[in-house]
PDB file of all heavy atoms in Angstrom:
ATOM      1  N   GLY A  67     107.485  93.995  83.159  1.00 94.00           N
ATOM      2  CA  GLY A  67     106.619  93.489  82.095  1.00 94.00           C
ATOM      3  C   GLY A  67     106.204  92.055  82.376  1.00 94.00           C
ATOM      4  O   GLY A  67     107.048  91.214  82.737  1.00 94.00           O
ATOM      5  N   VAL A  68     104.888  91.742  82.223  1.00 94.00           N
ATOM      6  CA  VAL A  68     104.373  90.393  82.451  1.00 94.00           C
ATOM      7  C   VAL A  68     103.701  89.909  81.169  1.00 94.00           C
ATOM      8  O   VAL A  68     103.371  90.695  80.273  1.00 94.00           O
ATOM      9  CB  VAL A  68     103.393  90.359  83.636  1.00 94.00           C
ATOM     10  CG1 VAL A  68     104.076  90.814  84.911  1.00 94.00           C
ATOM     11  CG2 VAL A  68     102.168  91.241  83.353  1.00 94.00           C
ATOM     12  N   ALA A  69     103.489  88.596  81.117  1.00 92.00           N
ATOM     13  CA  ALA A  69     102.925  87.994  79.911  1.00 92.00           C
ATOM     14  C   ALA A  69     101.448  88.341  79.762  1.00 92.00           C
ATOM     15  O   ALA A  69     100.731  88.587  80.755  1.00 92.00           O
ATOM     16  CB  ALA A  69     103.126  86.488  79.957  1.00 92.00           C
ATOM     17  N   TYR A  70     101.002  88.389  78.521  1.00 91.00           N
ATOM     18  CA  TYR A  70      99.578  88.573  78.247  1.00 91.00           C
ATOM     19  C   TYR A  70      98.812  87.394  78.847  1.00 91.00           C
ATOM     20  O   TYR A  70      99.257  86.250  78.803  1.00 91.00           O
ATOM     21  CB  TYR A  70      99.330  88.660  76.750  1.00 91.00           C
ATOM     22  CG  TYR A  70      99.494  90.057  76.197  1.00 91.00           C
ATOM     23  CD1 TYR A  70     100.721  90.470  75.689  1.00 91.00           C
ATOM     24  CD2 TYR A  70      98.430  90.952  76.203  1.00 91.00           C
ATOM     25  CE1 TYR A  70     100.879  91.742  75.177  1.00 91.00           C
ATOM     26  CE2 TYR A  70      98.583  92.230  75.690  1.00 91.00           C
ATOM     27  CZ  TYR A  70      99.807  92.633  75.179  1.00 91.00           C
ATOM     28  OH  TYR A  70      99.957  93.897  74.687  1.00 91.00           O
ATOM     29  N   GLY A  71      97.647  87.700  79.386  1.00 90.00           N
ATOM     30  CA  GLY A  71      96.827  86.686  80.033  1.00 90.00           C
ATOM     31  C   GLY A  71      97.011  86.628  81.530  1.00 90.00           C
ATOM     32  O   GLY A  71      96.289  85.889  82.216  1.00 90.00           O
ATOM     33  N   SER A  72      97.974  87.401  82.070  1.00 92.00           N
ATOM     34  CA  SER A  72      98.186  87.415  83.517  1.00 92.00           C
ATOM     35  C   SER A  72      97.100  88.229  84.200  1.00 92.00           C
ATOM     36  O   SER A  72      96.548  89.181  83.625  1.00 92.00           O
ATOM     37  CB  SER A  72      99.556  88.012  83.843  1.00 92.00           C
ATOM     38  OG  SER A  72     100.587  87.288  83.213  1.00 92.00           O
ATOM     39  N   ASP A  73      96.770  87.850  85.427  1.00 93.00           N
ATOM     40  CA  ASP A  73      95.785  88.569  86.226  1.00 93.00           C
ATOM     41  C   ASP A  73      96.427  89.853  86.739  1.00 93.00           C
ATOM     42  O   ASP A  73      97.372  89.829  87.543  1.00 93.00           O
ATOM     43  CB  ASP A  73      95.328  87.701  87.394  1.00 93.00           C
ATOM     44  CG  ASP A  73      94.121  88.304  88.122  1.00 93.00           C
ATOM     45  OD1 ASP A  73      93.843  89.504  87.905  1.00 93.00           O
ATOM     46  OD2 ASP A  73      93.489  87.572  88.902  1.00 93.00           O
ATOM     47  N   VAL A  74      95.922  91.002  86.281  1.00 93.00           N
ATOM     48  CA  VAL A  74      96.560  92.271  86.631  1.00 93.00           C
ATOM     49  C   VAL A  74      96.444  92.556  88.129  1.00 93.00           C
ATOM     50  O   VAL A  74      97.321  93.211  88.705  1.00 93.00           O
ATOM     51  CB  VAL A  74      95.948  93.418  85.796  1.00 93.00           C
ATOM     52  CG1 VAL A  74      96.279  93.246  84.328  1.00 93.00           C
ATOM     53  CG2 VAL A  74      94.439  93.516  85.997  1.00 93.00           C
ATOM     54  N   GLU A  75      95.374  92.089  88.751  1.00 93.00           N
ATOM     55  CA  GLU A  75      95.247  92.306  90.193  1.00 93.00           C
ATOM     56  C   GLU A  75      96.305  91.511  90.949  1.00 93.00           C
ATOM     57  O   GLU A  75      96.884  91.979  91.939  1.00 93.00           O
ATOM     58  CB  GLU A  75      93.848  91.919  90.662  1.00 93.00           C
ATOM     59  CG  GLU A  75      92.748  92.828  90.119  1.00 93.00           C
ATOM     60  CD  GLU A  75      92.913  94.255  90.617  1.00 93.00           C
ATOM     61  OE1 GLU A  75      93.461  94.439  91.744  1.00 93.00           O
ATOM     62  OE2 GLU A  75      92.508  95.182  89.894  1.00 93.00           O
ATOM     63  N   GLN A  76      96.563  90.270  90.478  1.00 94.00           N
ATOM     64  CA  GLN A  76      97.617  89.480  91.102  1.00 94.00           C
ATOM     65  C   GLN A  76      98.988  90.122  90.873  1.00 94.00           C
ATOM     66  O   GLN A  76      99.865  90.084  91.751  1.00 94.00           O
ATOM     67  CB  GLN A  76      97.588  88.056  90.533  1.00 94.00           C
ATOM     68  CG  GLN A  76      96.338  87.270  90.875  1.00 94.00           C
ATOM     69  CD  GLN A  76      96.256  86.988  92.378  1.00 94.00           C
ATOM     70  OE1 GLN A  76      97.259  86.743  93.036  1.00 94.00           O
ATOM     71  NE2 GLN A  76      95.025  87.008  92.902  1.00 94.00           N
ATOM     72  N   VAL A  77      99.159  90.700  89.697  1.00 94.00           N
ATOM     73  CA  VAL A  77     100.425  91.396  89.428  1.00 94.00           C
ATOM     74  C   VAL A  77     100.616  92.548  90.398  1.00 94.00           C
ATOM     75  O   VAL A  77     101.699  92.759  90.953  1.00 94.00           O
ATOM     76  CB  VAL A  77     100.452  91.889  87.964  1.00 94.00           C
ATOM     77  CG1 VAL A  77     101.671  92.767  87.716  1.00 94.00           C
ATOM     78  CG2 VAL A  77     100.436  90.718  87.010  1.00 94.00           C
ATOM     79  N   LYS A  78      99.554  93.324  90.613  1.00 94.00           N
ATOM     80  CA  LYS A  78      99.642  94.453  91.536  1.00 94.00           C
ATOM     81  C   LYS A  78      99.969  93.980  92.946  1.00 94.00           C
ATOM     82  O   LYS A  78     100.822  94.569  93.637  1.00 94.00           O
ATOM     83  CB  LYS A  78      98.322  95.217  91.519  1.00 94.00           C
ATOM     84  CG  LYS A  78      98.324  96.466  92.380  1.00 94.00           C
ATOM     85  CD  LYS A  78      97.009  97.221  92.250  1.00 94.00           C
ATOM     86  CE  LYS A  78      97.018  98.476  93.093  1.00 94.00           C
ATOM     87  NZ  LYS A  78      95.737  99.224  92.966  1.00 94.00           N
ATOM     88  N   LYS A  79      99.307  92.895  93.395  1.00 94.00           N
ATOM     89  CA  LYS A  79      99.589  92.368  94.733  1.00 94.00           C
ATOM     90  C   LYS A  79     101.034  91.892  94.847  1.00 94.00           C
ATOM     91  O   LYS A  79     101.706  92.120  95.865  1.00 94.00           O
ATOM     92  CB  LYS A  79      98.625  91.228  95.052  1.00 94.00           C
ATOM     93  CG  LYS A  79      97.189  91.664  95.237  1.00 94.00           C
ATOM     94  CD  LYS A  79      96.313  90.465  95.563  1.00 94.00           C
ATOM     95  CE  LYS A  79      94.849  90.869  95.743  1.00 94.00           C
ATOM     96  NZ  LYS A  79      93.992  89.694  96.045  1.00 94.00           N
ATOM     97  N   ALA A  80     101.528  91.220  93.795  1.00 94.00           N
ATOM     98  CA  ALA A  80     102.901  90.701  93.836  1.00 94.00           C
ATOM     99  C   ALA A  80     103.918  91.835  93.921  1.00 94.00           C
ATOM    100  O   ALA A  80     104.894  91.768  94.683  1.00 94.00           O
ATOM    101  CB  ALA A  80     103.167  89.835  92.609  1.00 94.00           C
ATOM    102  N   LEU A  81     103.692  92.896  93.158  1.00 94.00           N
ATOM    103  CA  LEU A  81     104.642  94.006  93.165  1.00 94.00           C
ATOM    104  C   LEU A  81     104.601  94.762  94.489  1.00 94.00           C
ATOM    105  O   LEU A  81     105.650  95.137  95.043  1.00 94.00           O
ATOM    106  CB  LEU A  81     104.346  94.964  92.008  1.00 94.00           C
ATOM    107  CG  LEU A  81     104.528  94.390  90.597  1.00 94.00           C
ATOM    108  CD1 LEU A  81     104.199  95.438  89.544  1.00 94.00           C
ATOM    109  CD2 LEU A  81     105.948  93.875  90.404  1.00 94.00           C
ATOM    110  N   LEU A  82     103.401  94.991  95.045  1.00 94.00           N
ATOM    111  CA  LEU A  82     103.310  95.687  96.330  1.00 94.00           C
ATOM    112  C   LEU A  82     103.903  94.849  97.453  1.00 94.00           C
ATOM    113  O   LEU A  82     104.537  95.384  98.381  1.00 94.00           O
ATOM    114  CB  LEU A  82     101.852  96.029  96.630  1.00 94.00           C
ATOM    115  CG  LEU A  82     101.227  97.113  95.741  1.00 94.00           C
ATOM    116  CD1 LEU A  82      99.751  97.300  96.099  1.00 94.00           C
ATOM    117  CD2 LEU A  82     101.976  98.435  95.886  1.00 94.00           C
ATOM    118  N   ALA A  83     103.729  93.524  97.374  1.00 93.00           N
ATOM    119  CA  ALA A  83     104.306  92.652  98.396  1.00 93.00           C
ATOM    120  C   ALA A  83     105.835  92.715  98.370  1.00 93.00           C
ATOM    121  O   ALA A  83     106.488  92.750  99.416  1.00 93.00           O
ATOM    122  CB  ALA A  83     103.830  91.215  98.184  1.00 93.00           C
ATOM    123  N   ALA A  84     106.398  92.764  97.165  1.00 93.00           N
ATOM    124  CA  ALA A  84     107.852  92.867  97.062  1.00 93.00           C
ATOM    125  C   ALA A  84     108.342  94.200  97.605  1.00 93.00           C
ATOM    126  O   ALA A  84     109.402  94.281  98.262  1.00 93.00           O
ATOM    127  CB  ALA A  84     108.283  92.687  95.612  1.00 93.00           C
ATOM    128  N   ALA A  85     107.604  95.296  97.343  1.00 93.00           N
ATOM    129  CA  ALA A  85     108.021  96.611  97.807  1.00 93.00           C
ATOM    130  C   ALA A  85     107.937  96.720  99.325  1.00 93.00           C
ATOM    131  O   ALA A  85     108.847  97.253  99.977  1.00 93.00           O
ATOM    132  CB  ALA A  85     107.167  97.692  97.150  1.00 93.00           C
ATOM    133  N   LYS A  86     106.860  96.197  99.922  1.00 91.00           N
ATOM    134  CA  LYS A  86     106.682  96.309 101.370  1.00 91.00           C
ATOM    135  C   LYS A  86     107.681  95.454 102.146  1.00 91.00           C
ATOM    136  O   LYS A  86     107.973  95.743 103.314  1.00 91.00           O
ATOM    137  CB  LYS A  86     105.262  95.898 101.748  1.00 91.00           C
ATOM    138  CG  LYS A  86     104.188  96.837 101.206  1.00 91.00           C
ATOM    139  CD  LYS A  86     102.798  96.336 101.561  1.00 91.00           C
ATOM    140  CE  LYS A  86     101.727  97.245 100.986  1.00 91.00           C
ATOM    141  NZ  LYS A  86     100.354  96.748 101.284  1.00 91.00           N
ATOM    142  N   SER A  87     108.202  94.425 101.509  1.00 91.00           N
ATOM    143  CA  SER A  87     109.134  93.542 102.212  1.00 91.00           C
ATOM    144  C   SER A  87     110.526  94.148 102.345  1.00 91.00           C
ATOM    145  O   SER A  87     111.348  93.638 103.109  1.00 91.00           O
ATOM    146  CB  SER A  87     109.243  92.202 101.482  1.00 91.00           C
ATOM    147  OG  SER A  87     109.809  92.374 100.189  1.00 91.00           O
ATOM    148  N   HIS A  88     110.819  95.221 101.612  1.00 91.00           N
ATOM    149  CA  HIS A  88     112.153  95.823 101.694  1.00 91.00           C
ATOM    150  C   HIS A  88     112.188  96.817 102.853  1.00 91.00           C
ATOM    151  O   HIS A  88     111.343  97.702 102.950  1.00 91.00           O
ATOM    152  CB  HIS A  88     112.492  96.538 100.383  1.00 91.00           C
ATOM    153  CG  HIS A  88     113.953  96.793 100.211  1.00 91.00           C
ATOM    154  ND1 HIS A  88     114.629  97.748 100.929  1.00 91.00           N
ATOM    155  CD2 HIS A  88     114.876  96.193  99.409  1.00 91.00           C
ATOM    156  CE1 HIS A  88     115.895  97.752 100.579  1.00 91.00           C
ATOM    157  NE2 HIS A  88     116.075  96.818  99.652  1.00 91.00           N
ATOM    158  N   PRO A  89     113.172  96.716 103.746  1.00 90.00           N
ATOM    159  CA  PRO A  89     113.171  97.587 104.936  1.00 90.00           C
ATOM    160  C   PRO A  89     113.468  99.050 104.620  1.00 90.00           C
ATOM    161  O   PRO A  89     113.149  99.920 105.442  1.00 90.00           O
ATOM    162  CB  PRO A  89     114.282  96.973 105.802  1.00 90.00           C
ATOM    163  CG  PRO A  89     115.181  96.264 104.844  1.00 90.00           C
ATOM    164  CD  PRO A  89     114.276  95.746 103.758  1.00 90.00           C
ATOM    165  N   GLU A  90     114.099  99.372 103.503  1.00 91.00           N
ATOM    166  CA  GLU A  90     114.460 100.750 103.196  1.00 91.00           C
ATOM    167  C   GLU A  90     113.413 101.455 102.342  1.00 91.00           C
ATOM    168  O   GLU A  90     113.614 102.620 101.972  1.00 91.00           O
ATOM    169  CB  GLU A  90     115.817 100.792 102.494  1.00 91.00           C
ATOM    170  CG  GLU A  90     116.966 100.290 103.349  1.00 91.00           C
ATOM    171  CD  GLU A  90     118.310 100.528 102.704  1.00 91.00           C
ATOM    172  OE1 GLU A  90     118.608 101.689 102.388  1.00 91.00           O
ATOM    173  OE2 GLU A  90     119.057  99.552 102.507  1.00 91.00           O
ATOM    174  N   VAL A  91     112.322 100.788 102.001  1.00 91.00           N
ATOM    175  CA  VAL A  91     111.235 101.422 101.264  1.00 91.00           C
ATOM    176  C   VAL A  91     110.275 102.050 102.270  1.00 91.00           C
ATOM    177  O   VAL A  91     109.817 101.392 103.216  1.00 91.00           O
ATOM    178  CB  VAL A  91     110.502 100.396 100.371  1.00 91.00           C
ATOM    179  CG1 VAL A  91     109.267 101.027  99.747  1.00 91.00           C
ATOM    180  CG2 VAL A  91     111.441  99.884  99.294  1.00 91.00           C
TER     181      VAL A  91
END
């Protein structure tokens, strides 16, 4: 969950970046 007013595209990029950085994903 993120705060209202956040850029949803930036949220998507941040979450995908975290997922791709894990070696077991």
Side-chain angles (χ1 to χ4, degrees):
V68 300
Y70 274 92
S72 302
D73 190 345
V74 294
E75 293 297 331
Q76 294 294 323
V77 173
K78 184 177 181 180
K79 291 181 181 179
L81 295 180
L82 290 177
K86 294 177 182 178
S87 64
H88 198 287
E90 296 188 56
V91 173

